[in-house]
Amino acid sequence: PETALTLGRQNIVLDNQRFVGGVAWRQNDQTFDAINIKNQSVKDLSLNYAYAWQVNRTSGTRSPSGIWDATKIHLINASYAGLPFGKITGYSYLLDIPDSTTLSSATYGARFEGKQKLHEGVNGLLNLEYAHQQDYAHNPNNIDFNYYSIEPGVAFGQWALKGQYESIEGNGTNAMQFALGTNHAFDGWADKFLTTPANGLVDANIGLHYTAKSDNKWLNGTKASLVYHDFSAERNSTHYGTEWNALLEQTFEKHYTAGIKFASYDADKLNTDTVKIMPYLQVKF
């Protein structure tokens, strides 16, 4: 009972998509040719196992790197939401990627997502995550990296103030990578850190978020965000620069979403100054 099995080409999204996601920001979603089994027969407990033999990447099937075939990917994720103050998740992601052996890795981790009422109309938020990544299968590199993220916040009415301190380890030659993650959603929308620098990355950020509530259906649910990032190397604290992100987005009639994103990256010791303005229109059916 309460078991779902999906076989074929599919979207697989786990937790906040840091390690496994659909990269829905791109015109081509990332999909998996896989068998996926989900079980929720025990109250508040969700078990998920997927085995994927091909990854269809965002660059499209005509790109030389658009498909990772002959993969042997095991995705194991278990979460329990019965705690009075939040949800805890444990996971193991084993990636054997012959088309990109340096990204073959074994990642083991745990995540906590908490919410606690502080006052009438005010809730405290806290997300914590730790993961360890090591080389796996035919990876020619000897890697042994840690990841952790601390995300405190407070939500009041239509507003939320959230902070994050994210640390991704590197050793000067290699660094922890997120081969299957929705990486655009993390470390700034200018996309300067889709690949983690060899000395690792620390992203300290704070953001203010607003969701409109209105009797006018064209305004109700409108989202706005303003986020500031400060980047540095995890290994030697070299400053990588700062970035401002802004977003305005609205969904209409359930199927249509229009929005605009803005990113302004001010480089220091890495990359170059970059400004991006990204209007978009999405249709879901």
Side-chain angles (χ1 to χ4, degrees):
E2 300 299 326
T3 299
L5 185 149
T6 306
L7 175 64
R9 185 155 297 179
Q10 58 191 283
N11 187 282
I12 299 177
V13 172
L14 299 176
D15 300 322
N16 65 342
Q17 303 190 52
R18 190 59 176 114
F19 289 93
V20 182
V23 201
W25 168 246
R26 305 299 178 187
Q27 289 177 309
N28 294 315
D29 282 17
Q30 176 172 267
T31 61
F32 299 82
D33 292 358
I35 182 170
N36 192 8
I37 304 170
K38 298 179 181 180
N39 178 272
Q40 294 180 308
S41 57
V42 177
K43 182 181 178 182
D44 297 320
L45 180 66
S46 179
L47 304 175
N48 192 177
Y49 168 75
Y51 174 77
W53 54 89
Q54 181 167 299
V55 181
N56 310 292
R57 307 180 69 214
T58 59
S59 51
T61 57
R62 295 186 180 183
S63 166
S65 60
I67 292 178
W68 285 339
D69 59 7
T71 64
K72 298 177 182 178
I73 293 176
H74 301 270
L75 306 175
I76 304 167
N77 185 286
S79 63
Y80 180 71
L83 302 175
F85 42 80
K87 179 175 77 171
I88 189 167
T89 301
Y91 52 81
S92 175
Y93 305 136
L94 310 179
L95 315 182
D96 181 358
I97 308 174
D99 288 330
S100 187
T101 55
T102 57
L103 292 177
S104 294
S105 62
T107 301
Y108 310 93
R111 177 175 175 83
F112 169 77
E113 299 178 24
K115 182 178 180 180
Q116 182 68 41
K117 182 177 179 180
L118 302 178
H119 193 267
E120 190 64 35
V122 180
N123 292 305
L125 311 172
L126 181 63
N127 296 336
L128 304 171
E129 186 162 5
Y130 170 79
H132 178 77
Q133 186 176 92
Q134 61 193 48
D135 53 285
Y136 180 73
H138 298 95
N139 191 329
N141 300 317
N142 182 17
I143 64 173
D144 188 34
F145 299 126
N146 294 307
Y147 168 90
Y148 68 87
S149 173
I150 303 170
E151 300 176 74
V154 59
F156 45 98
Q158 292 113 270
W159 297 87
L161 181 64
K162 298 179 180 179
Q164 182 187 30
Y165 186 90
E166 180 190 54
S167 175
I168 309 168
E169 195 170 14
N171 61 15
T173 303
N174 299 293
M176 188 173 189
Q177 304 296 339
F178 306 88
L180 303 180
T182 300
N183 296 335
H184 171 74
F186 300 87
D187 306 322
W189 295 334
D191 289 340
K192 292 297 183 179
F193 302 101
L194 297 180
T195 298
T196 310
N199 284 316
L201 178 67
V202 171
D203 177 10
N205 62 77
I206 187 167
L208 184 63
H209 309 272
Y210 175 78
T211 303
K213 291 184 179 180
S214 172
D215 293 333
N216 186 319
K217 69 175 184 178
W218 300 105
L219 296 178
N220 189 48
T222 298
K223 297 178 181 178
S225 296
L226 182 66
V227 183
Y228 176 77
H229 296 263
D230 186 89
F231 302 111
S232 60
E234 182 276 335
R235 182 168 177 262
N236 56 22
S237 300
T238 299
H239 195 235
Y240 285 160
T242 60
E243 181 172 329
W244 284 97
N245 291 163
L247 171 142
L248 184 65
E249 180 184 275
Q250 173 63 306
T251 298
F252 307 95
E253 304 297 335
K254 297 182 180 180
H255 302 288
Y256 312 101
T257 299
I260 185 168
K261 283 183 177 181
F262 171 82
S264 178
Y265 172 73
D266 183 9
D268 195 344
K269 302 296 184 182
L270 185 75
N271 293 313
T272 56
D273 293 351
T274 301
V275 174
K276 287 188 176 183
I277 300 173
M278 300 162 276
Y280 56 94
L281 178 67
Q282 174 181 288
V283 180
K284 294 180 68 174
F285 54 91

